[in-house]
Amino acid sequence: MPTLSPSNSQTLSGPIYLELRDQLISGVFEPGQRLKLNELAKQTGTSVSPVRETLIRLVAEDSVEMSSLRAFAVPNLSSARFEQIVAMRLALEGLAAERAAGGVSQSDLKKLSSLHDRFIDAEKGGSRSEAQALNRSFHFLIYENANMPMLLSSISILWAMMGPILRVYYSQTMPVEIGAPDHTKLIEALRVGDTKGAAESISADIKHGCRSISEYIAELETT
């Protein structure tokens, strides 16, 4: 994490929040991991105060848990938590795809096709971290085209909850199904302005990606 310029905690907590949220989304942290104030302050080149302020904001968004003013951690894996995240993703991301349909430029449609092709190549090559990053770029390019900043922020919060789950899931040696069959349907629906088709395709893509993760978490809970 780059060192930030010294300032007051209110000025600093904004960039720190965005950076930590991005790290959660990217799977830098794992479920149950403690988030130590002093270590994070050192990484950001700031004091404990803006870091604590950031973590409390993430607690309010359910991306982080707090047991005291100095004790923060990433939530543990649980089927109940994962099912809620998926249900909210289906609703919000379906709405974003619906709003984006018909309004995506030719340039962005080409970008989506390129991101999808690179995503498939990364999966086939076994580059899971690269595949995750490309899939994220694919999805968020669509959500940005919905032109609903509050909706985009809410979706980002849900992806911050997903990141640690994906980290532990993809760290296993289990085979992971390759491909995103609903991406191409989604791109075509966006191209022709098919709002229903776009919402259905994004929902199918989420369900396809989350099904095996749900089974994995349920299996862990029985052992």
Side-chain angles (χ1 to χ4, degrees), residues 5-216:
S5 301
S7 185
N8 60 58
S9 64
Q10 289 184 334
T11 301
L12 286 173
S13 63
I16 295 172
Y17 165 77
L18 293 174
E19 180 68 18
L20 285 181
R21 190 182 69 179
D22 188 70
Q23 289 188 4
L24 285 163
I25 293 173
S26 301
V28 172
F29 305 108
E30 61 185 29
Q33 181 175 343
R34 287 186 60 195
L35 301 174
K36 299 179 181 179
L37 289 172
N38 289 336
E39 289 183 3
L40 292 173
K42 184 176 180 180
Q43 290 172 19
T44 58
T46 64
S47 66
V48 166
S49 181
V51 172
R52 181 187 290 112
E53 187 176 310
T54 292
L55 290 175
I56 289 173
R57 180 176 176 182
L58 290 168
V59 168
E61 296 174 353
D62 288 323
S63 298
V64 170
E65 293 179 335
M66 178 178 70
S67 55
S68 75
L69 285 177
R70 295 191 62 85
F72 298 87
V74 178
N76 286 309
L77 282 177
S78 77
S79 292
R81 176 177 171 81
F82 186 66
E83 288 171 5
Q84 288 186 67
I85 295 169
V86 173
M88 289 186 290
R89 285 191 61 195
L90 289 170
L92 297 187
E93 292 174 47
L95 173 60
E98 181 181 302
R99 290 299 184 95
V104 183
S105 68
Q106 287 299 314
S107 175
D108 278 351
L109 287 169
K110 288 180 180 179
K111 288 180 184 177
L112 288 170
S113 294
S114 175
L115 286 167
H116 170 69
D117 291 342
R118 291 164 58 199
F119 165 73
I120 297 300
D121 289 343
E123 279 201 321
K124 289 179 178 178
S127 302
R128 290 180 178 175
S129 60
E130 182 183 359
Q132 280 183 256
L134 289 165
N135 186 58
R136 174 188 173 187
S137 295
F138 177 90
H139 279 260
F140 274 83
L141 181 55
I142 295 169
Y143 306 151
E144 287 163 6
N145 272 276
N147 295 315
M148 297 180 68
M150 289 188 291
L151 177 60
L152 181 63
S153 178
S154 296
I155 291 172
S156 296
I157 290 170
L158 292 174
W159 277 61
M161 297 178 192
M162 282 289 298
I165 297 171
L166 292 176
R167 170 179 171 143
V168 70
Y169 176 72
Y170 284 116
S171 68
Q172 305 305 306
T173 57
M174 66 186 70
V176 176
E177 189 175 349
I178 293 174
D182 296 291
H183 278 190
T184 52
K185 295 177 183 177
L186 176 55
I187 293 171
E188 183 56 27
L190 294 169
R191 187 190 311 277
V192 301
D194 180 0
T195 56
K196 181 180 179 181
E200 289 177 346
S201 294
I202 204 78
S203 294
D205 183 57
I206 293 169
K207 291 175 181 177
H208 177 257
C210 291
R211 183 171 55 247
S212 56
I213 300 174
S214 179
E215 293 170 354
Y216 168 70

